Amino acid sequence: MKIFLPLTLIICCIFTTHFSYGQNVPEKKITMKLDSARFDQFVKQVEGQTGYYFYYDATRFDSLTLDLNVNNLSLREVLDQVFKGSEFEYAIDGEKRIFITHGQKIITQLTPGLFNPDRAGETDSIAYAGPESDIKEKLLSTAESKVHEIGIRKHRITPGNSTITGYVRNAVTGEPVIGAAVFINSPSIGITTDALGRYALTIPRGKQVVRIKSTGMRETQRQIVLYSDGKLDIEMRESVIALKEVSVKAGMDKNVVGTQMGTVKLTIKNLKQVPTVFGETDLLRTILTLPGIKSVGENSTGLNVRGGSVDQNLIQYDDAVIYNPSHLFGFFSAFNPDVLKDVELYKSTIPSKFGGRLASVLDINSRDGNKKKFVASGGIGLVTGRATVEGPLVKDKASFLLGGRSTYSNWVIRALDNENYNKSSASFYDLNLHLNYEINEKNSLSLTGYTSRDKFKLYGDTLYSYQNQLGSIKWKHTFNSRLYGVLTAAHSKYNYSMEAEGLPLNSFDLKFDINQSNFKADFSYVLHPKHTLEFGLSTIYYKLHPGSFKPRGSESLIVADELQAEQATESALYLEDKWEVSPRLSISGGLRWSFFQYLGPKSVNTYLPGFPIDYIYQEGVQEYKSGKKIKSYGGPEYRASVRYSILDNLSLKASYNTLRQYIHLLTNTMTVSPTDIWKLSDPYIKPQIGDQISVGLYRNFRGNKIEVSLEGYYKNIRNFLDYKGGDSLFMNHNIEAAVINTKAKAYGVEFMIKKMTGKLNGWLGYTYARTLLRAVDRESPDAPNGGNFYPSNYDKPHDFTLISNYRFSHRFSLSFNFTYSTGRPYTPPIGKYIIDGSQRVYYADRNQFRIPDYYRMDLAMNIEGNHRIKKLAHSSWTLAVYNLLGRKNPTSVYFQTVGGRVNGYQLSIFGQPIPTITYNFRF
């Protein structure tokens, strides 16, 4: 005992002295001056002055430069100054190691209380710290490594299942992550987040690892101990990797395991890597690079999907229909890429909640806006400019997003050598507004507004203009962990006008408009994690003013004329069942019942019974009062799909769809024109009905990094409208007599290979497809080609597209496109004859000749701004050459009679390379 006491005192003194010395070692100060120095030079000087060592990913700093002038500052003061306002984080541990990370901070100490056994009954919360946080909190790395206790802790975990509920949100913007996969691997159980970003996952109690994946987001996981039902909110960060991916993505293995066929989800983040004319990022032109989707020419953004006409595509922006999705003669799409969140295209397995169109659904969703901070972005090109601003109205609760685009293209037009063109003018603008408010955890409200206007005058005295206006309000409500619903009300309006004022005697105003108001309710009920029911209803009210033709000015001799307005309702009920029978087999079946009523007031032409619908057989007019039902149509629409997994990375799918379309676009031009006529089904013009069957084989390679798909389809269309030769659609009071009823058949094979990651990425697609029409009344003298099948205007059998991107470094990438397609059909004159003393032209059978094949190469260089730490804004440049080879691809062929001789001409829109430059910025 006498020896033990002094020894104890000596040991205590030694440790006390050592502790005091360790606490009072003076921290070495740093003095240095750097001018545009590389980051590794900064690291070398700090390590030399302090004895600390850096650990970081050198590839992230390969183009970063520093300007620094510090005198006698501590290590932390220097690092704070260097990384202030950037997305880089640093952490220092007790071993004199400095860890530099991007976006996430490494926590060098265990979470307090991690091993505290007295926390029974508590649920761990999740704390994050972003680059902009004022307080350095635990980051996502902590959330992944810590153990989250869910539910009320018990001494013993009882067997059985419990449900975890929560929200998956973007850690930077606060926006919900929709469609994220939340799952465990063993046993294989998963669910996807709903329209609110909410999920409800029922899994066995005990220790589990919950994984979360989503398109464009960094994969994450949570280690949990599940005691009973509880809540776990999750935040994800966008996928920022050294080599960015191309814009077309899927949920890694969704290509194989999903039941959907012919479905493509597009992200907007890297659309700039696809070169387009005039350098403007263009959603629709990117879609046109996918298999099975075509247009009649490069001056058109009208989509012909699997043999369908342009009016057979339902294009909706935040659930409001847009009737003309193009600007500036079809050279630009109507959508500002900076405000878009995602786009989903359905061309084969169309969900039961969609209807009213035969060919495809293009579902476009805007972003909610940043709920955490104010952000501004934009771009300036040769002929267009755009700007977007977003931010919180109430932090983490309400946000706004405001974007606009406009053109200043007249300087390009005036620079043309041709006097007929340099006196022309063209302009457009569009404005987007989106408001979002998260009322509480179960309710969310959003409001969208959009307006656009185009005006152009082509070497004449006629001013053309058209306008899109739409708005929608959406309420999302979660009833419980199994049931949620979305109520939507929307209104769309499209109008066009022509103003001719060159010669006072012939001056006129021509106007048309279509209005659509709709309401729908969509619900989803989870019977089981592998069994979901979707159901709902919708109703639409149409109001069309088909045409108003009036004199302009008091001197005009134009006789006023106006077509009578049309109105109708279209309603539907639907139910769809999605069931994963086993890991190998999934099925989906749905029924949609639609019904349509054509309403008065209306004067309906009547024709002699038993005779063709023709002007010469008109008998009279029958009057219908306001609200009176004139004609009704309706019937079932069946949706079915099945997926069988042959291997884990190989699956076989099949689907069948029937659809009905009650509104038609009447046109006798090859491309989409602002003056095309929309027409409702009536007693003479019947709804179009389509049936499609598809079969596909899907295979993924190299850990789902490469997707390969092969799909075949066959489609029948009834009551497809074509125009009679020589008839006019302009201000026609007997429009039903100017069209013919045809039967269409379309079939094809689509192949696609897509590499999603790596320095070299992109996709390659090939399509073989045919679209053939035949008059229903084959004996009619108006039946084209003697009542036999003939190609449609957009029948282009072969189509090949290659989209590629190669990233040399963080700052430089090169994009290359190549596209080839068969020339579209046309009908040339092949002879002349004289009748009643007048010379007439004799035409060949309809669409039996083709213009020359089309091919084009594009090249673009994307240059990111320098990676200086202290920057007011991030910027990038895009240098592109459209039509690199300068090929004069014919868009159309037309004929003129000059001096009694019929001459043919080919029209090429772009007959030479078009260089463009675009500057993009983001604050």
Side-chain angles (χ1 to χ4, degrees):
M1 188 67 178
K2 292 180 180 180
I3 298 175
F4 178 75
L5 183 58
L7 183 61
T8 302
L9 293 174
I10 292 171
I11 294 173
C12 290
C13 289
I14 292 173
F15 275 93
T16 303
T17 304
H18 178 75
F19 179 78
S20 301
Y21 175 80
Q23 291 294 311
N24 293 291
V25 172
E27 185 176 2
K28 293 184 178 181
K29 301 295 184 178
I30 298 173
T31 298
M32 69 172 65
K33 183 177 181 181
L34 299 175
D35 184 16
S36 297
R38 298 193 312 272
F39 186 73
D40 61 332
Q41 295 174 321
F42 163 75
V43 168
K44 187 177 294 185
Q45 287 204 32
V46 173
E47 289 179 343
Q49 294 186 37
T50 65
Y52 283 73
Y53 291 93
F54 282 79
Y55 296 85
Y56 62 97
D57 181 1
T59 61
R60 290 194 176 275
F61 297 85
D62 57 2
S63 58
L64 184 146
T65 58
L66 289 175
D67 294 320
L68 187 66
N69 188 0
V70 296
N71 184 32
N72 201 33
L73 295 183
S74 68
L75 174 62
R76 289 186 181 275
E77 289 174 329
V78 171
L79 294 177
D80 286 339
Q81 184 172 331
V82 168
F83 296 118
K84 182 180 179 181
S86 77
E87 294 186 355
F88 292 102
E89 298 281 349
Y90 73 88
I92 305 174
D93 68 3
E95 302 296 326
K96 291 191 173 184
R97 294 179 296 190
I98 305 170
F99 301 94
I100 310 298
T101 53
H102 182 269
Q104 298 184 10
K105 183 177 180 179
I106 294 177
I107 305 300
T108 58
Q109 295 179 343
L110 292 175
T111 304
L114 179 62
F115 301 107
N116 188 346
D118 300 324
R119 298 175 65 224
E122 295 182 7
T123 301
D124 285 327
S125 61
I126 306 171
Y128 303 98
E132 68 283 350
S133 297
D134 296 327
I135 302 175
K136 300 298 183 181
E137 302 176 90
K138 305 183 206 69
L139 271 167
L140 298 179
S141 54
T142 306
E144 290 184 346
S145 60
K146 71 183 292 186
V147 178
H148 303 265
E149 295 181 347
I150 308 299
I152 300 176
R153 184 173 181 179
K154 302 176 182 178
H155 295 291
R156 186 175 182 181
I157 298 176
T158 57
N161 296 333
S162 288
T163 300
I164 310 171
T165 59
Y167 292 84
V168 180
R169 294 187 175 92
N170 187 308
V172 176
T173 67
E175 293 183 283
V177 180
I178 301 171
V182 184
F183 62 96
I184 61 173
N185 286 330
S186 182
S188 180
I189 300 174
I191 197 75
T192 57
T193 56
D194 59 26
L196 289 171
R198 189 175 185 275
Y199 73 94
L201 181 66
T202 302
I203 56 177
R205 288 188 282 269
K207 188 174 181 180
Q208 301 283 0
V209 177
V210 179
R211 302 182 183 276
I212 307 94
K213 291 183 179 181
S214 180
T215 301
M217 307 299 288
R218 185 180 300 165
E219 181 181 346
T220 186
Q221 67 180 37
R222 298 295 182 269
Q223 300 181 56
I224 68 167
V225 177
L226 181 60
Y227 294 102
S228 60
D229 292 352
K231 183 180 178 182
L232 178 66
D233 289 340
I234 300 163
E235 289 193 341
M236 303 181 73
R237 289 191 177 271
E238 293 184 6
S239 179
V240 182
I241 56 179
L243 302 172
K244 294 184 179 179
E245 300 173 1
V246 193
S247 60
V248 179
K249 300 182 179 179
M252 294 302 286
D253 58 351
K254 190 176 181 180
N255 181 56
V256 173
V257 303
T259 58
Q260 294 285 345
M261 293 182 64
T263 302
V264 179
K265 190 165 187 177
L266 309 172
T267 60
I268 311 303
K269 184 176 180 181
N270 295 315
L271 282 175
K272 66 180 181 181
Q273 294 176 337
V274 180
T276 57
V277 64
F278 298 129
E280 173 77 14
T281 299
D282 197 304
L283 169 65
L284 294 184
R285 294 202 178 275
T286 302
I287 291 173
L288 284 169
T289 66
L290 302 174
I293 306 173
K294 308 176 184 180
S295 71
V296 295
E298 59 188 350
N299 66 322
S300 173
T301 53
L303 305 179
N304 301 115
V305 181
R306 288 191 170 180
S309 57
V310 295
D311 66 318
Q312 293 177 358
N313 306 299
L314 177 62
I315 302 177
Q316 57 181 30
Y317 178 61
D318 281 348
D319 291 301
V321 174
I322 185 166
Y323 279 91
N324 190 340
S326 67
H327 283 311
L328 206 65
F329 323 118
F331 294 138
F332 299 95
S333 73
F335 306 106
N336 182 348
D338 290 345
V339 305
L340 302 184
K341 180 177 184 179
D342 57 44
V343 180
E344 197 144 14
L345 173 72
Y346 304 92
K347 58 181 178 176
S348 183
T349 306
I350 298 180
S352 301
K353 66 180 180 179
F354 296 117
R357 300 294 191 274
L358 297 190
S360 73
V361 175
L362 188 62
D363 190 23
I364 305 169
N365 296 301
S366 64
R367 296 189 293 110
D368 287 341
N370 199 309
K371 292 185 174 67
K372 296 181 179 293
K373 63 179 182 179
F374 289 94
V375 177
S377 62
I380 302 172
L382 290 180
V383 295
T384 61
R386 68 187 191 278
T388 303
V389 62
E390 59 185 296
L393 295 173
V394 179
K395 191 169 185 179
D396 294 326
K397 294 283 287 183
S399 61
F400 77 94
L401 176 67
L402 178 64
R405 285 191 305 169
S406 186
T407 184
Y408 31 85
S409 57
N410 286 336
W411 75 270
V412 177
I413 297 175
R414 294 191 182 102
L416 299 175
D417 292 334
N418 192 315
E419 292 185 1
N420 290 328
Y421 292 101
N422 58 28
K423 295 180 181 179
S424 303
S425 63
S427 65
F428 76 82
Y429 72 85
D430 58 54
L431 294 172
N432 300 263
L433 174 65
H434 184 82
L435 303 175
N436 181 268
Y437 178 52
E438 289 190 21
I439 302 171
N440 52 43
E441 291 187 347
K442 292 190 174 183
N443 294 277
S444 174
L445 194 66
S446 63
L447 176 68
T448 298
Y450 172 88
T451 183
S452 70
R453 190 171 188 86
D454 282 68
K455 290 184 178 182
F456 55 92
K457 181 184 292 187
L458 300 178
Y459 54 87
D461 54 21
T462 303
L463 175 66
Y464 299 82
S465 66
Y466 60 91
Q467 184 176 32
N468 285 292
Q469 292 179 309
L470 58 88
S472 67
I473 184 168
K474 189 180 300 185
W475 175 36
K476 303 174 184 178
H477 176 69
T478 300
F479 295 90
N480 52 51
S481 61
R482 294 180 178 270
L483 176 65
Y484 85 93
V486 181
L487 302 181
T488 306
H491 179 78
S492 302
K493 180 179 181 179
Y494 171 67
N495 65 77
Y496 73 73
S497 66
M498 294 172 57
E499 301 174 3
E501 54 185 8
L503 297 176
L505 297 180
N506 295 324
S507 297
F508 65 86
D509 286 336
L510 173 68
K511 295 181 179 180
F512 163 91
D513 68 74
I514 178 172
N515 295 267
Q516 172 182 322
S517 299
N518 60 282
F519 170 82
K520 65 176 185 175
D522 301 300
F523 300 92
S524 178
Y525 182 72
V526 180
L527 294 170
H528 183 271
K530 298 183 179 182
H531 199 171
T532 302
L533 289 178
E534 295 182 353
F535 55 94
L537 56 87
S538 64
T539 185
I540 302 172
Y541 177 73
Y542 297 102
K543 181 77 171 183
L544 279 74
H545 296 97
S548 170
F549 188 59
K550 296 180 179 180
R552 183 177 181 83
S554 58
E555 299 181 31
S556 177
L557 300 180
I558 295 295
V559 178
D561 190 14
E562 186 168 0
L563 297 175
Q564 197 172 10
E566 293 186 293
Q567 46 277 319
T569 61
E570 177 186 342
S571 302
L573 300 168
Y574 74 90
L575 173 66
E576 186 164 343
D577 189 357
K578 299 179 180 179
W579 183 24
E580 185 180 341
V581 181
S582 70
R584 295 287 185 193
L585 178 66
S586 293
I587 58 176
S588 176
L591 174 65
R592 179 184 178 91
W593 196 285
S594 62
F595 32 98
F596 175 87
Q597 289 187 322
Y598 189 65
L599 304 173
K602 183 68 176 176
S603 300
V604 178
N605 299 323
T606 59
Y607 297 87
L608 293 173
F611 288 86
I613 306 300
D614 205 336
Y615 310 96
I616 61 175
Y617 301 118
Q618 182 174 348
E619 184 180 33
V621 175
Q622 184 173 353
E623 301 290 341
Y624 291 86
K625 295 181 179 180
S626 178
K628 180 71 174 178
K629 182 180 72 174
I630 301 173
K631 184 67 176 179
S632 61
Y633 297 99
E637 302 176 22
Y638 304 103
R639 318 287 170 88
S641 62
V642 59
R643 182 269 300 167
Y644 180 75
S645 295
I646 303 170
L647 301 171
D648 289 342
N649 61 351
L650 175 64
S651 66
L652 179 68
K653 303 181 188 180
S655 69
Y656 174 74
N657 287 333
T658 60
L659 299 105
R660 297 171 184 267
Q661 180 170 330
Y662 301 100
I663 187 169
H664 318 264
L665 183 65
L666 305 182
T667 180
N668 53 13
T669 61
M670 294 299 180
T671 61
V672 178
S673 168
T675 56
D676 290 338
I677 300 168
W678 287 91
K679 178 74 178 71
L680 296 171
S681 295
D682 61 20
Y684 302 108
I685 297 179
K686 298 179 180 180
Q688 300 178 64
I689 301 174
D691 301 87
Q692 178 181 215
I693 185 169
S694 304
V695 178
L697 193 64
Y698 305 82
R699 177 72 184 265
N700 285 3
F701 298 91
R702 298 180 62 184
N704 296 319
K705 293 180 180 179
I706 298 178
E707 299 180 5
V708 178
S709 62
L710 179 67
E711 288 190 26
Y713 67 90
Y714 186 88
K715 183 189 295 187
N716 274 317
I717 302 175
R718 288 168 281 168
N719 304 325
F720 185 84
L721 297 180
D722 204 353
Y723 65 95
K724 290 182 180 179
D727 251 314
S728 172
L729 303 178
F730 178 76
M731 295 299 297
N732 194 328
H733 289 263
N734 297 77
I735 195 69
E736 63 275 2
V739 296
I740 56 175
N741 201 359
T742 71
K743 174 185 178 181
K745 64 177 181 181
Y747 54 88
V749 177
E750 301 168 0
F751 171 77
M752 188 174 190
I753 180 169
K754 186 165 45 176
K755 183 177 183 294
M756 303 180 63
T757 58
K759 284 190 174 183
L760 178 64
N761 47 53
W763 66 93
L764 180 152
Y766 169 76
T767 304
Y768 174 78
R770 297 303 308 273
T771 307
L772 304 174
L773 308 178
R774 186 179 69 186
V776 173
D777 185 1
R778 301 179 62 183
E779 305 302 323
S780 170
D782 295 316
N785 297 14
N788 297 314
F789 277 107
Y790 59 95
S792 70
N793 291 337
Y794 39 87
D795 177 69
K796 299 163 72 174
H798 299 281
D799 186 274
F800 174 85
T801 301
L802 171 65
I803 304 295
S804 60
N805 177 68
Y806 186 83
R807 181 165 288 275
F808 296 92
S809 68
H810 294 288
R811 294 186 59 192
F812 299 99
S813 67
L814 188 69
S815 300
F816 172 78
N817 295 354
F818 175 79
T819 182
Y820 164 85
S821 65
T822 308
R824 62 170 182 78
Y826 76 100
T827 306
I830 57 175
K832 296 184 294 183
Y833 62 96
I834 297 176
I835 183 171
D836 295 333
S838 299
Q839 180 176 288
R840 304 293 176 89
V841 176
Y842 181 76
Y843 285 87
D845 285 347
R846 184 172 295 185
N847 289 345
Q848 296 304 298
F849 292 80
R850 293 184 179 274
I851 65 176
D853 291 352
Y854 179 97
Y855 67 84
R856 191 191 76 245
M857 291 184 183
D858 309 319
L859 189 67
M861 168 69 81
N862 299 305
I863 306 172
E864 298 288 335
N866 67 66
H867 291 182
R868 289 179 180 269
I869 294 296
K870 298 178 181 179
K871 294 185 64 177
L872 176 64
H874 174 75
S875 62
S876 65
W877 293 87
T878 299
L879 309 175
V881 180
Y882 183 86
N883 193 16
L884 183 65
L885 301 180
R887 176 173 167 79
K888 296 181 179 180
N889 287 298
T891 298
S892 65
V893 175
Y894 63 97
F895 301 88
Q896 291 181 346
T897 301
V898 180
R901 179 183 177 88
V902 179
N903 296 324
Y905 303 89
Q906 292 183 355
L907 174 64
S908 297
I909 301 299
F910 303 112
Q912 59 187 16
I914 300 178
T916 61
I917 182 170
T918 304
Y919 173 71
N920 304 290
F921 58 87
R922 182 178 182 84
F923 292 96

